């Protein structure tokens, strides 16, 4: 008889070989995504390995594993729904037509925006270019309203430093 750790590894290996394909099929049926099924089954097996003492002590370890897959699939679906909402929110604010832009001004603004760290840039663009509320911006970026306020303020201050106060004010349509 081997060590308890070696016995647990061998027991898990046997469980893995017996149930992995079933768990991948379950993930595929739950998500409808063949590519995601293997990833979810692998993630479930990793989670089971980390909690193998609890999983093997369950009355029905295979049922426990199916529950882990179901929870991971639910999280994946929820994330996809949130992402679709963010994309829909983003595109719903898009204007139907655009007037001829001031090309040199656009280039200057793009360069200045690229100089900002991502979060500041995203807050400034969503708040001012897409006219999203602080709340909607926080939902799109997955951050708090307070963070949106501070990052937008700091981003605008950096843009004013890079472009000059007048150009930054023009960028946001006269809003401060």
């Amino acid at each position: 008889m081997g060590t308890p750790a070696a016995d647990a590894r061998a027991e898990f290996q046997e469980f893995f070989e017996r149930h992995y394909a079933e768990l991948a099929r379950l993930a595929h049926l739950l998500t409808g995504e063949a590519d995601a099924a293997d990833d979810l089954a692998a993630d479930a097996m990793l989670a089971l390995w980390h909690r193998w003492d609890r999983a093997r002590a369950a009355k029905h370890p295979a049922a426990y594993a199916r529950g882990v897959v179901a929870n991971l699939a639910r999280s994946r679906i929820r994330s996809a729904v949130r992402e679709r909402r963010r994309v829909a929110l983003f595109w719903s604010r898009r204007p139907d037509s655009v007037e001829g832009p001031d090309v040199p001004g656009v280039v200057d603004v793009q360069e200045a925006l690229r100089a900002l760290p991502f979060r500041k840039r995203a807050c400034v663009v969503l708040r001012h270019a897409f006219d999203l509320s602080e709340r909607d911006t926080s939902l799109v970026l997955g951050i708090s309203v307070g963070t949106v306020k501070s990052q937008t303020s700091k981003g605008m201050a950096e843009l004013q430093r890079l472009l000059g106060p007048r150009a930054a004010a023009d960028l946001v349509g006269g809003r401060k």
Side-chain angles (χ1 to χ4, degrees):
M1 185 159 178
T3 67
D7 292 343
R9 278 193 295 272
E11 188 179 325
F12 179 79
Q13 179 68 32
E14 180 184 330
F15 181 87
F16 181 95
E17 290 171 3
R18 193 171 352 140
H19 295 286
Y20 179 83
E22 169 197 349
L23 296 176
R25 282 192 307 275
L26 174 62
H28 182 218
L29 291 171
L30 291 174
T31 63
E33 300 175 24
D35 295 338
D38 280 332
D39 291 342
L40 286 173
D43 289 346
M45 284 295 189
L46 180 62
L48 287 168
W49 173 243
H50 287 296
R51 297 187 304 259
W52 185 237
D53 289 338
R54 185 184 315 165
R56 73 179 176 179
K59 190 171 183 177
H60 301 287
Y64 184 91
R66 286 190 291 272
V68 171
V69 169
N71 287 334
L72 290 172
R74 182 181 306 115
S75 293
R76 182 177 182 87
I77 291 166
R78 285 180 177 164
S79 292
V81 167
R82 280 192 304 273
E83 183 64 23
R84 286 184 192 115
R85 285 182 185 151
R86 288 177 183 149
V87 168
L89 179 64
F90 180 79
W91 285 108
S92 70
R93 303 288 184 145
R94 191 170 163 223
D96 292 334
S97 65
V98 177
E99 298 298 322
D102 171 18
V103 176
V106 169
V107 170
D108 290 344
V109 169
Q110 287 175 339
E111 286 178 13
L113 285 170
R114 271 194 292 276
L116 297 178
F118 175 78
R119 188 178 284 178
K120 287 178 188 172
R121 181 177 357 139
C123 287
V124 167
V125 168
L126 291 172
R127 289 283 294 127
H128 296 290
F130 287 88
D131 202 29
L132 293 185
S133 69
E134 291 166 342
R135 182 180 174 280
D136 288 343
T137 301
S138 74
L139 290 172
V140 168
L141 297 176
I143 58 178
S144 72
V145 171
T147 301
V148 170
K149 289 178 182 181
S150 69
Q151 293 296 292
T152 302
S153 175
K154 291 175 183 176
M156 287 303 297
E158 286 185 42
L159 286 177
Q160 286 177 345
R161 184 180 57 75
L162 294 168
L163 297 170
R166 178 72 185 138
D170 290 344
L171 167 70
V172 298
R175 284 197 293 175
K176 293 266 183 183

